[in-house]
Amino acid sequence: MDKGHSTMAQHLRAVTSARLAPPVRGTRRGGAAAPRRVSRVARASFVDQPGDDVAGPSRASTKTKEKAPTADVPAETEDARAYVESDEEVREREAVGALVRWCVERGATGSGLSVRLPDASNKGRGLEASRDVAVDEPVLSLPLEMGICDAQEGHPPESWETMMNAPWGVRLACRVLQERAKGEDSEYAPYLALVPASVPGSPLLYAEEEVVGLQYPPAVAEAREMRDAVRKWHETLSAQCPSALAGADHDAFAAAVSVVHSRTYGVAGEQNQGYFRALLPLADLLNHAGDEYDPEASFFERGADDAETVSKKQMWPPARDADNVAWSALDGSGTIAFAATKALAPGDEATMSYGERSNDHFLMYYGFTPPRNPHDDVVVFQDIEHALSWHMVFHPELWDAGEDEEANARESAARAAVRATEDLLASTKDGALMNAEPRLKVLPGGRADARLVSLFAAAYAGTDAGVAKGKEMLDVDVNSAHADIARRCAELLRQMPTDLKRDAAILRGEEGIVSDATRSSVSYRAHKKEVLVDAILTLGKGALDLPEAYR
């Protein structure tokens, strides 16, 4: 992910999504990922090839489906388990082999990884360990120049005056379109043969009803702005330099943007000198696995029946990091290296973290959302003014009962508390995020923006004898603030047209075939509801009922 690329707004004029949460440590793929430090997959039929530095597919024309023996069913014989590959599987294997050979010819080296072909798990292609791999062992090394880079080279000369002012996603999308138009004559043909034509789960490719189906206003607004920006850039390029598009219509252009957003590496040089974006063959097969909660921790996974008995500890236990590969800065020779951060056994999928990001970022760039993401968040107020206005309307008994002087004192105390919180956190990483993000959020685990808690708590304490004159906020004031945040979360939850049970039924296919767009949209909104439910249960401390659909 792209270290210098923090929000969609910088590139496609979309809404920011910074959070008061742990910061991103590095970057990768489409403007987001971090080198940091396992999910099991079925072992594919790949082995390290003698003489090759990178593992490719086996030349055997058969593969096996393992069936574990049980007390009642004997193990199948080798002959019974073997089957002849379909034409599609043969083409896939041969294409992967051609890609590996192409990469090796251009300087790629590595050991211990092989390419996993798509299988019944619906995971698609990926990389996996072909043998035991030790911690810190190098597994892949790629020269940056072998990728499709975000640079002037390759663009039609007459287009560069316009292209140089375009967002990086537009420039790289055009490079992909230009190379695809060359067909087998493209030097990148073996690579592009395995690059998908689109990312179906990307909001760029949603129908309008699927955008609305996100059910979360910030995401709906961001998706619309992003789609509108892509449409305008297609219009601009069509009018000023049509050769840049290589004949692509709007739909093909949007599809190409969705691809480069999901696959681009943002690579910094050593000592942060220079910054490059590129599509990197083989490396872009590393799937995401980052910080996550265990499946049983999720309200959504377990179902809503026991929601009111769930404690914070039960719902959101400490998260674990599931990734096992990290990558380095670009060295002096222009090479990027990948190494294992955990021991891998044969068949373990090799994964890396795309960054400690909210699900908004994952959806908009990658077209999917990680389940049980501890870095997801929900905007509850647009800013301090919005929160204070809501509190005044919600608590007339507090704000309208006394003289104007008392209400003024409460407001002064509340604003002073926010400033004090900002000053206290100014030198921390959260302080930097506060400066970049005026929106007030809740996160999994019942975590809430410290500015919001201090605002509401000081409003309770801040009479003429209150915090404005030095009185400390009491626990009862903080508890009241937490309860108000929980009430706001319940409001937002009621505004979402479907509940978690309905979302689960949709994802199970009970209401029809589940398209990639539907899956990404419904999974996204369901996780937002989980965060809201958790905030209600944790901050409300049992004093506030969940909306009726969740009881």
Side-chain angles (χ1 to χ4, degrees), residues 49-312:
Q49 298 296 302
D52 278 358
D53 292 305
V54 183
S58 168
R59 296 187 184 281
S61 62
T62 62
K63 59 184 179 182
T64 60
K65 292 183 178 179
E66 299 292 344
K67 182 175 182 181
T70 68
D72 300 318
V73 181
E76 298 182 51
T77 66
E78 186 70 23
D79 289 341
R81 289 187 288 114
Y83 70 97
V84 177
E85 287 180 316
S86 68
D87 290 343
E88 181 179 355
E89 289 170 327
V90 170
R91 285 193 296 270
E92 174 80 13
R93 178 172 53 78
E94 291 177 345
V96 169
L99 171 62
V100 171
R101 291 189 294 274
W102 181 86
C103 290
V104 171
E105 290 169 358
R106 282 157 179 75
T109 61
S111 178
L113 294 184
S114 57
V115 180
R116 185 197 64 200
L117 299 180
D119 56 26
S121 70
N122 293 320
K123 279 194 170 182
R125 301 183 192 94
L127 298 181
E128 63 176 17
S130 56
R131 57 170 174 77
D132 289 326
V133 177
V135 176
D136 295 330
E137 180 179 349
V139 292
L140 186 63
S141 179
L142 303 169
L144 182 67
E145 64 181 10
M146 72 177 285
I148 299 178
C149 298
D150 177 20
Q152 181 175 356
E153 183 180 359
H155 288 284
E158 69 275 10
S159 72
W160 185 244
E161 184 175 355
T162 299
M163 295 301 296
M164 66 186 297
N165 297 313
W168 64 264
V170 168
R171 290 195 298 267
L172 275 173
C174 287
R175 286 291 296 119
V176 169
L177 291 169
Q178 292 156 15
E179 294 299 328
R180 284 196 192 278
K182 297 176 185 177
E184 293 300 317
D185 292 333
S186 170
E187 64 174 304
Y188 299 101
Y191 171 50
L192 293 175
L194 290 172
V195 172
S198 67
V199 177
S202 168
L204 284 177
L205 309 183
Y206 280 5
E208 176 60 20
E209 58 267 24
E210 289 163 334
V211 174
V212 174
L214 292 169
Q215 299 184 3
Y216 179 59
V220 172
E222 183 169 4
R224 285 174 172 164
E225 289 189 44
M226 189 175 172
R227 289 152 59 89
D228 185 58
V230 168
R231 179 184 57 79
K232 289 180 178 178
W233 269 107
H234 185 265
E235 292 174 352
T236 297
L237 297 175
S238 297
Q240 297 182 10
C241 50
S243 59
L245 293 168
D249 61 13
H250 169 268
D251 290 349
F253 175 64
V257 174
S258 76
V259 169
V260 301
H261 275 179
S262 71
R263 306 179 82 85
T264 299
Y265 279 76
V267 185
E270 290 180 332
Q271 300 178 343
N272 292 321
Q273 294 180 352
Y275 195 80
F276 310 90
R277 294 187 181 89
L279 297 168
L280 292 177
L282 289 183
D284 63 4
L285 292 176
L286 283 164
N287 290 318
H288 170 75
D291 295 340
E292 62 181 33
Y293 296 114
D294 291 332
E296 59 270 19
S298 172
F299 173 94
F300 183 50
E301 295 284 336
R302 289 190 332 271
D305 294 339
D306 59 347
E308 294 193 82
T309 65
V310 174
S311 70
K312 174 181 176 180

Side-chain angles (χ1 to χ4, degrees), residues 212-218 378-381 386 390 487-499 529 532 536 547 549-550:
V212 174
L214 292 169
Q215 299 184 3
Y216 179 59
V378 174
V379 175
V380 289
F381 294 107
H386 182 201
W390 178 89
R487 291 185 181 96
R488 173 60 174 169
C489 290
E491 278 187 0
L492 296 175
L493 198 57
R494 283 191 291 267
Q495 292 170 11
M496 303 179 90
T498 60
D499 58 30
K529 293 167 190 174
L532 290 171
I536 295 167
Y550 292 83

